[in-house]
Amino acid sequence: MNWQQQSQAELEKILNVTVSTGLDTAQAKKRMKQHGPNRLEEKKKVPAWLLFLRQFQDMMIILLIGATLVSAALGEYIDALTIVFIVVLNGVLGFVQENKAEKSLDALKELASPTMRVKRNGNWVTIPSVEAVPGDIVKLHGGDKVSADIRLLTVNSLSAEESALTGESYPVQKSTEVLADKDVSLGERINMAFAGTLVTKGDATGVIIGTGMKTEMGKIAHLLSDSEKTETPLQKRLAHLGTILITGALILTALVVILGLMQGQPFYKMILSGVSLAVAAIPEGLPAIVTVVLALGVQRMIKRQAIVRHLPAVETLGCASVICSDKTGTLTQNKMTVTALWNTAGITFRSSKKGFPRSSYDKLLSYSVLCNQAAMDAKENNDGKIQGDSTELALLEAAQSTGVSYERLLSSYTVKKVFPFDSERKRMTVIVTDQAGQAYVITKGAPDVLLHLTTSIMEKERTEKLSALKKQHIHQAIESMAGKALRTIAVAYRPLQKDEQIQDVKKVERNLTFVGIEGMIDPPRPEVKQAIQECRSAGIKTIMITGDHKVTAAAIAKDIGLLPEYGKVLTGQEWKTATTQEKRELLQRVYVFARVSPEDKLNIVNELQSAGHVVAMTGDGVNDAPALKAADIGIAMGRTGTDVAKEAAALILRDDNFSTIRSAIKEGRNIYDNIRKFIRYMLASNVGEILVMLFAVMLGMPLPLVPIQILWINLITDGLPAMALGLDQPEDDGMKRPPRLASESIFANGMGWKIMSRGFLIGLVTLIGFVTSLHEQPDDLIRAQTIAFSILVMAQLIHVFDCRTSQTIFDRPPFENKYLTASVLSSVLLLVLVIYTPVFQPIFHTTALSMIEWLLVLALAAIPTFALAGRRLFKSDGR
Ligand code: ATP
């Protein structure tokens, strides 16, 4: 079908819909059945069984299974069976972890699902985009992501960025003109909007002609990989570290095998020991646990209203050193109330919910209602619900409560044209005609901006020339309102000449007559003051970036404790004219940027980054997208943000609240700390396991551990306790220290030393226990091995508590983390079970230990953790 060639009447016929009423519920239901939900089909998921089998594709595991088969062939059936059992158990654990990670990451995608305005049963309603069907009449607005293919019916300065489809990054101007040509490329079908593209500005209505896989995007969807997995920098570094660790473990294991063979140990036994050791020592579970911990952290962030769109942001959050935050709605409540009015008759402050003296401000209030998107929408919707931007709502409320009714005004004036508000222009203009047919331009916007467009002023129903003195009066009024933290909006107008053109906004907005100013309060969010304070003590500077007036911004910044005595407030204009050198210096002192345009935001991000900062930047509008993309962490507003901003952001604040950024940073720091904790634990354990074997063969002794024991330890230590560490509570709430450097190694702050020293000691005490037992009872190798096995397990289970703190085990109450306590207790129980029950003894090559032997085990097992903690008495760095 060549949709671009059809007229509206033809479209209505083909799609069986009336544009004025849209589809009704029954029609929509039927079409949903027929066409299916409006979404692109995802690639088939990896089935669960394959995911499970994948756990065994690891080279070492295959080798281990091979070696097990050899031992089975040699008649060691129990050994072989047990090893297979442990390997399967390991696989199950890995599978559960991976599955969980995948599920929680999937859940994230759902959260960010978009919505759409459609006309159903004659009313405009918002529905989830998946529920849209062909024939639906829809509205598009600057900032929307188009979710279906749409033939446009009305257009008001609409442009769309279609690079996802056409590769052309320059926005395309849209129109409703019916195209004559049948074969036009997608980019030239200017009377259509396509799914997956972005509306950069303007408004439009249209009819859906294709949904889901039947959109142009759907046709090429098979070319896109939707299951693209983003690895975080840490995961990448771990992958690299993994190869080093694997090589190291393999070399050492080979050494153990060669030395063992040289001492005459049986060949198959040595090979099996070697392979088991390699399986145990290679931290193959690491990437999976990192993913699980990241995914669980992301879940916790959702509970705190922060939705992570890109996993790497979780880590970057912990490095953030500057937050550039919007003011309205993020630092303030976005609940505006007009509390002051000014015109040449004077200023009036409002003391109660009652309105203002109508006779003095009738024109000001009336014009602020005629030039008001919220009022126009309410009239059009005809459902009595007034929704919209809070500034517009405040103006509307001030008028209504003074007795100026929007219904009456909008029925006596006809709106001919709207130039919507945008934060670049900082104003909105409408052209209306009264019942006598006289047309007017009405503009409302930032007073300082409007002053440039006005040449006269209203004085008691008369139009006077705008003298320098009157300008000064206006400036005084602005300053006086702004000093009370009020956002100011001015209104101006002029009657239009008979045949004046109304298409060009520049020609329309000139020679205006200044009517007056409205000042509105937007109270700060109560929790923000503390959040800013916390960020400050965490070494993070908060900078306010606002489109508002300098004085308004400064007053609010002071109020919420953002602007210190020595802090500077700068306007976008002042910033623009500063040299690079000046900008560097200014950045150290500026806390508030006012009257900023979105392009300044991008420049501020760039300058902060080149000064070495890791920048988190908030934004909501279409024009904020470049700054959000450029920032290290782009943060979009969940409620007031446009789809375009959300698309560009790494993090979405569901509640638009600044303190949510603080919580996300705190969580980000905690997640990183926890990842470090279990890496430390797992690696120290592995070092201990390898060293005890290596020491023994070097000393020409029998092997202290049998393969099954090694695998068992690996299962117990790599398994639950490591997971539980990933869920640990933050050590110092994470916000009392400066941000981590992005380049910092995962082993920073002495962690490498801790891993090696603890690992070495774990190996050493295990060997000491083994040697002591052999010395006492030279014929009882099984006893000595049981002791070595128990020491190794217990030393690791004690050491796990040490890993919770960057100080020493004495510096944190050990049993705070109930998952950890439970996993350690169950590991101890399992150890006891394996040692004391006659069924397991032959399988695990163990024997019952006496009380005295247990004392020896515990005393030795405690050494690696407590001996080094004791050093703290003499040294203060806690290493
Ligand atoms: P913040 O960063 O505090 O959220 P902002 O950058 O979003 O603020 P804008 O909404 O762009 O600020 O507003 C900038 C100025 O434009 C305001 O100070 C006000 O004077 C004017 N303004 C805001 N909203 C409207 C509107 N709906 N119509 C006309 N003018 C407006």
Side-chain angles (χ1 to χ4, degrees), residues 537-575:
S537 49
I540 306 163
K541 177 177 175 181
T542 308
I543 297 178
M544 176 195 282
I545 297 192
T546 175
D548 251 341
H549 193 273
K550 191 171 174 175
V551 180
T552 311
I556 295 177
K558 271 203 197 108
D559 208 18
I560 55 178
L562 183 145
L563 183 64
E565 283 296 319
Y566 56 87
K568 207 169 157 44
V569 181
L570 210 66
T571 63
Q573 197 54 37
E574 289 164 336
W575 172 255

Side-chain angles (χ1 to χ4, degrees), residues 9 45 66 140 192 239 421 559 577 638 655 657 673 699 705 743 821:
K45 282 258 157 62
L140 292 177
M192 296 186 66
F421 172 74
D559 208 18
T577 49
D655 57 357
N657 190 341
D673 286 351
L699 295 172
L705 298 165
S743 57
T821 315

Side-chain angles (χ1 to χ4, degrees), residues 327-328 392 421 423 444-446 487-488 545-548 595:
K327 173 177 66 63
T328 309
E392 312 252 298
F421 172 74
S423 42
K444 75 174 198 309
R487 159 176 277 214
T488 48
I545 297 192
T546 175
D548 251 341
R595 283 286 187 252

Side-chain angles (χ1 to χ4, degrees), residues 777-843:
Q777 301 181 54
D779 301 330
D780 200 348
L781 179 60
I782 288 201
R783 179 166 303 278
Q785 284 175 331
T786 309
I787 286 183
F789 175 52
S790 310
I791 295 176
L792 198 54
V793 171
M794 290 310 298
Q796 293 182 1
L797 293 181
I798 296 173
H799 177 235
V800 76
F801 292 102
D802 197 16
C803 296
R804 294 184 61 231
T805 141
S806 53
Q807 303 289 311
T808 74
I809 196 166
F810 301 124
D811 294 291
R812 268 196 100 174
F815 303 119
E816 280 170 328
N817 179 345
K818 55 182 192 296
Y819 303 106
L820 187 64
T821 315
S823 65
V824 167
L825 277 182
S826 45
S827 298
V828 172
L829 270 178
L830 283 172
L831 175 68
V832 171
L833 198 73
V834 160
I835 293 179
Y836 286 98
T837 44
V839 201
F840 289 124
Q841 283 173 345
I843 300 177

Side-chain angles (χ1 to χ4, degrees), residues 482-556:
K484 296 188 171 66
L486 302 186
R487 159 176 277 214
T488 48
I489 301 274
V491 173
Y493 87 112
R494 84 179 159 92
L496 270 172
Q497 309 295 335
K498 262 254 157 337
D499 336 297
E500 226 180 292
Q501 280 294 325
I502 57 166
Q503 296 310 322
D504 185 351
V505 71
K506 279 205 191 93
K507 291 197 177 134
V508 168
E509 289 173 346
R510 64 190 166 89
N511 288 339
L512 300 177
T513 302
F514 201 92
V515 179
I517 308 171
E518 303 200 23
M520 53 187 77
I521 191 83
D522 178 17
R525 288 178 180 268
E527 63 280 23
V528 146
K529 196 169 186 169
Q530 197 200 340
I532 290 175
Q533 186 51 43
E534 254 182 68
C535 286
R536 188 166 295 152
S537 49
I540 306 163
K541 177 177 175 181
T542 308
I543 297 178
M544 176 195 282
I545 297 192
T546 175
D548 251 341
H549 193 273
K550 191 171 174 175
V551 180
T552 311
I556 295 177

Side-chain angles (χ1 to χ4, degrees), residues 79 252 436:
D79 264 18
L252 289 176

